[in-house]
């Protein structure tokens, strides 16, 4: 798919995250000019000085604007001024902690909703924005009882599915995160129906995103986020609960975010990014792709994560964007390969000292 508006200015939020940074790389590679909203000048400096960004030599095509608090009224008004498109990725993420019940709404729900509404309101005020692409989640479309495996999926999940928002308290941060995505999607669609702006919105719904995290500086950072599922199996963790069998390669997610700016893609529409996954296949793939690392004990490869299936229809996405989702083998190769690279890099660093 071509990018006929590749000379346009795109506001991207969340570029200091796993998905956002890769989307930034794809947007710059496609020829877009990008204004990245970050929380501090230090974060802007980190992005600007990254080897992958420097290799692209974006010069004036990459600029930054500080948005310290995405919940603050009018937070994105200046950021959206004179931009043609917006890709809104910034949202609270899981940190492998259980927030106290009193903090769940403040940490997950309010920022997800308020940040999304602030983006939409800023886009309307700008009078130049033609499309807003919002990163949602597959968890916005599936009842949480099916996400966590306490109830089996009874039907295929399609991009037109909608589920009711369930208020907390929540049993864990994953449930709170999922609820925040439901709430943000509902509020965004209600806002669009009420205000009927001149721009349209594309909602993207990835499942577990798997792929090398180029912002990671240490193996402990590689083990964070959704990549931790694959890596935990490779290094020997036994999961005591089943995990939803739905993943998507980071490259597929990043590519579609940028392709969704093409106004030939239907707006005011949801698109699912996912393919079916059996987690017990991870050890087979690791043995086949990284035999030396397994033999040397760098990858014990003795972990196990039981899978509970969900039936997700991503055919609309593949038809519209003209690709087939990369499978688990490519995902494992990316995640585990990066982990081993980081180990080698750290070992050389210690040796030089």
């Amino acid at each position: 798919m071509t990018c006929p508006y590749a000379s346009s200015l795109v506001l991207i939020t969340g570029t200091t995250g796993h998905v956002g940074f890769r989307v930034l790389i794809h947007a710059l590679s496609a020829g877009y000019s990008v204004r990245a909203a970050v929380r501090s000048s230090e974060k802007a400096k980190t992005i600007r000085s990254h080897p992958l960004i420097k290799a692209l030599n974006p010069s004036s095509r990459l600029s930054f604007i500080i948005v310290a608090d995405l919940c603050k009224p009018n937070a994105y008004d200046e950021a959206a001024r004179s931009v043609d498109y917006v890709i809104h990725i910034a949202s609270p993420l899981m940190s492998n902690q259980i927030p106290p019940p009193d903090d769940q709404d403040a940490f997950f729900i309010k920022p997800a909703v308020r940040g999304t509404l602030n983006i939409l309101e800023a886009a309307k005020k700008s009078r130049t924005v033609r499309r807003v692409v919002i990163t949602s989640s597959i968890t916005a479309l599936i009842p949480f009882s099916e996400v966590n495996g306490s109830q089996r999926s009874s039907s295929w999940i399609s991009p037109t599915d909608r589920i009711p928002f369930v208020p907390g308290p929540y049993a864990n941060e994953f449930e709170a995160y999922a609820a925040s995505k439901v709430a943000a999607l509902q509020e965004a669609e209600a806002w669009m129906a009420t205000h009927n702006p001149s721009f349209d919105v594309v909602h993207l719904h990835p499942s577990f995103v798997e792929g090398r995290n180029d912002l990671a500086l240490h193996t402990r950072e590689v083990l964070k986020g959704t990549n931790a599922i694959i890596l935990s199996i490779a290094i020997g963790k036994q999961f005591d609960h089943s995990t939803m069998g739905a993943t998507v390669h980071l490259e597929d997610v990043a590519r579609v975010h940028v392709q969704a700016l093409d106004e030939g893609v239907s707006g005011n529409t949801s698109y699912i990014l996912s393919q079916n996954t059996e987690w017990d296949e991870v050890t087979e793939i690791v043995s086949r792709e990284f035999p030396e690392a397994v033999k040397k004990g760098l990858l014990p490869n003795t972990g196990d994560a039981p899978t509970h299936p969900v039936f997700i229809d991503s055919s609309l996405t593949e038809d519209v964007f003209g690709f087939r989702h990369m499978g688990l083998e490519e995902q494992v190769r990316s995640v585990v390969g990066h982990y081993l690279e980081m180990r080698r890099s750290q070992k050389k660093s210690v040796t030089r000292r």
Side-chain angles (χ1 to χ4, degrees), residues 27-339:
L28 291 172
S29 298
Y32 286 99
S33 293
V34 175
R35 179 183 295 160
V38 294
R39 295 198 175 192
S40 67
S41 57
E42 290 75 18
K43 290 185 179 295
K45 188 181 297 183
T46 297
I47 297 298
R48 174 75 78 178
S49 62
H50 194 283
L52 291 179
I53 297 295
K54 293 171 75 172
L56 290 172
N57 190 27
S59 188
S60 61
R61 288 196 302 115
L62 175 60
S63 60
F64 296 88
I65 187 166
I66 308 300
V67 180
D69 182 1
L70 57 80
C71 291
K72 187 177 179 181
N74 309 311
Y76 290 110
D77 286 6
E78 185 61 31
R81 192 183 302 276
S82 301
V83 306
D84 300 290
Y85 303 102
V86 178
I87 300 178
H88 179 50
I89 303 170
S91 191
L93 297 174
M94 293 179 291
S95 59
N96 297 321
Q97 298 176 0
I98 301 176
D102 292 345
D103 294 344
Q104 292 175 337
D105 190 68
F107 185 83
F108 283 104
I109 312 300
K110 289 180 179 178
V113 171
R114 191 63 254 168
T116 298
L117 294 181
N118 277 343
I119 277 287
L120 295 175
E121 289 164 1
K124 183 180 180 183
K125 292 174 187 175
S126 79
R127 303 191 177 200
T128 59
V129 172
R130 301 203 287 266
R131 167 164 291 175
V132 177
V133 177
I134 298 176
T135 311
S136 182
S137 167
I138 196 67
T139 61
L141 309 179
I142 308 175
F144 191 72
S145 59
E146 296 181 18
V147 171
N148 70 7
S150 61
Q151 179 179 326
R152 289 186 63 84
S153 296
S154 57
S155 61
W156 284 86
I157 306 301
S158 78
T160 57
D161 287 344
R162 296 295 182 268
I163 57 176
F165 170 72
V166 178
Y170 305 104
N172 51 58
E173 67 166 0
F174 188 22
E175 186 177 6
Y177 165 81
S180 77
K181 291 301 186 181
V182 175
L185 177 61
Q186 285 187 357
E187 294 289 342
E189 292 186 327
W191 188 95
M192 290 292 291
T194 299
H195 294 271
N196 191 29
S198 58
F199 60 85
D200 60 19
V201 173
V202 170
H203 295 279
L204 300 180
H205 302 270
S207 54
F208 291 123
V209 180
E210 307 293 334
R212 61 180 295 132
N213 182 0
D214 285 307
L215 291 175
L217 300 175
H218 194 279
T219 51
R220 61 175 172 269
E221 295 173 12
V222 179
L223 282 159
K224 292 180 179 179
T226 49
N227 282 346
I229 306 174
I230 285 176
L231 284 174
S232 293
I233 295 171
I235 63 177
K237 179 177 178 180
Q238 300 287 328
F239 286 78
D240 57 6
H241 55 82
S242 65
T243 302
M244 179 174 64
T247 60
V248 59
H249 200 297
L250 174 63
E251 289 300 304
D252 288 339
V253 176
R255 182 190 311 112
V256 169
H257 271 76
V258 176
Q259 289 182 339
L261 300 178
D262 186 335
E263 292 172 39
V265 173
S266 295
N268 297 324
T269 305
S270 281
Y271 297 96
I272 291 173
L273 289 155
S274 185
Q275 55 92 50
N276 293 332
T277 290
E278 291 289 339
W279 293 106
D280 60 7
E281 294 179 2
V282 169
T283 53
E284 301 171 19
I285 297 169
V286 169
S287 293
R288 183 168 62 250
E289 295 293 326
F290 306 99
E292 287 301 312
V294 173
K295 183 178 179 180
K296 293 177 180 178
L298 300 177
L299 299 171
N301 206 28
T302 55
D304 178 60
T307 303
H308 63 263
V310 286
F311 308 108
I312 298 172
D313 183 3
S314 58
S315 59
L316 174 66
T317 305
E318 295 188 340
D319 291 344
V320 168
F321 293 95
F323 77 105
R324 290 294 176 263
H325 284 87
M326 286 187 276
L328 184 61
E329 184 162 333
E330 290 89 347
Q331 297 167 30
V332 171
R333 191 182 300 129
S334 176
V335 172
V336 178
H338 186 221
Y339 171 76

